[in-house]
Amino acid sequence: MSRKLRTDPIELAQRNWRSRHWEAAADGMAIVTSVMRVQQIFSSEVETVLKPLGLTFARYEVLMLLDFSSSGELPLGKIGERLQVHPASVTNAVDRLESDGLVLRTPNPRDGRSTLASISPDGRKLAASASIALNQHVFECVGLTPTEQRSAFRLLGKIRHVAGDYR
Amino acid sequence: MSRKLRTDPIELAQRNWRSRHWEAAADGMAIVTSVMRVQQIFSSEVETVLKPLGLTFARYEVLMLLDFSSSGELPLGKIGERLQVHPASVTNAVDRLESDGLVLRTPNPRDGRSTLASISPDGRKLAASASIALNQHVFECVGLTPTEQRSAFRLLGKIRHVAGDYR
DNA sequence: GAAGATTGAGAGTTCAATCTTC
DNA sequence: GAAGATTGAACTCTCAATCTTC
């Protein structure tokens, strides 16, 4: 007696690829598609946990970047660089964090063109509770063994690692 | 003489996690964050290839789903289910595909509430050229060895596989 | 002239509400 | 009443243009 397993849509796509004689690209297509799907899954889990706290993942990342920085403040441009997002996205995220009292904008004393975002005590408190919630409900439930986790991290790192730089 | 390598921001985050005694979640956090970054990378590569063809990845996926379906047509609800997106996103994607002449909307003869999307000859042609471009510029350049690709696919599959179902 | 940040426009996604058909 | 699809509102991201300061 065999348990009925739904076929994997990505394996199906892989077979379809091979049937069109795209053998050389079939595995790559499967990996790209898999990453897209897993990102959807993680993303929706993360947003579910953060929503009651009034945060999105983008704003959470900004908050944690500031929380871990030595002085608790960073130029907006630096934030965009580290998170690999458009300057306009940083402006948007910091606008919202600021109006929620989690972050403060101050002029950069070393450069009149630049603005610093600095984390507030409330911001630090929220960053901590959000992290604890994410640890419990997402990060500790990835569904891989410790060995597999290290392996997955290494493989994803190899994709991110290009020309001596991590991106 | 050693090549200067930029430190990996995700490894840094991992160390920060451990310094806060979140050991149990550190690897999971690193994997979730890595998947988010790799998705950003793949996404931007894919959109760069598809943009000159007037497609987004979402619309490309709809097109391929129809192209591979036996009759060349599917109910909109089925499409949303397979791609794991909101019904409103399917409506939006099909609207655009239809106005570009790549897809046709027809009433479902088996259910008056339902609408079928069916791929047009132009849609099939564009699906083929888009696939060839993606194969060449993205899928064949993932940056992993064949063995590593199979390993990565298996690990991502394990994350997607929950309760006997793939998602 | 170049760099940092902001603004408004355009595109895509999700949600709640609505309409039609089962 | 429930399911399939559509609509409009709210949000986020990206891009091009703009403004200020280097």
Side-chain angles (χ1 to χ4, degrees), chain B residues 56-101:
Chain B
T56 62
F57 188 59
R59 297 203 292 272
Y60 169 74
E61 276 196 302
V62 172
L63 224 42
M64 290 312 288
L65 210 50
L66 295 173
D67 194 31
F68 280 124
S69 71
S70 50
S71 57
E73 59 185 19
L74 288 172
L76 300 200
K78 200 62 129 182
I79 295 175
E81 187 189 319
R82 289 286 288 274
L83 301 181
Q84 300 278 63
V85 294
H86 196 277
S89 297
V90 179
T91 296
N92 182 26
V94 171
D95 277 354
R96 177 61 191 271
L97 289 170
E98 191 175 29
S99 76
D100 289 349

Side-chain angles (χ1 to χ4, degrees), chain A residues 13-30:
Chain A
Q14 227 175 2
R15 284 196 292 277
N16 286 333
W17 237 246
R18 299 207 165 96
S19 76
R20 300 230 169 142
H21 307 291
W22 295 335
E23 183 66 43
D27 284 346
M29 179 280 298

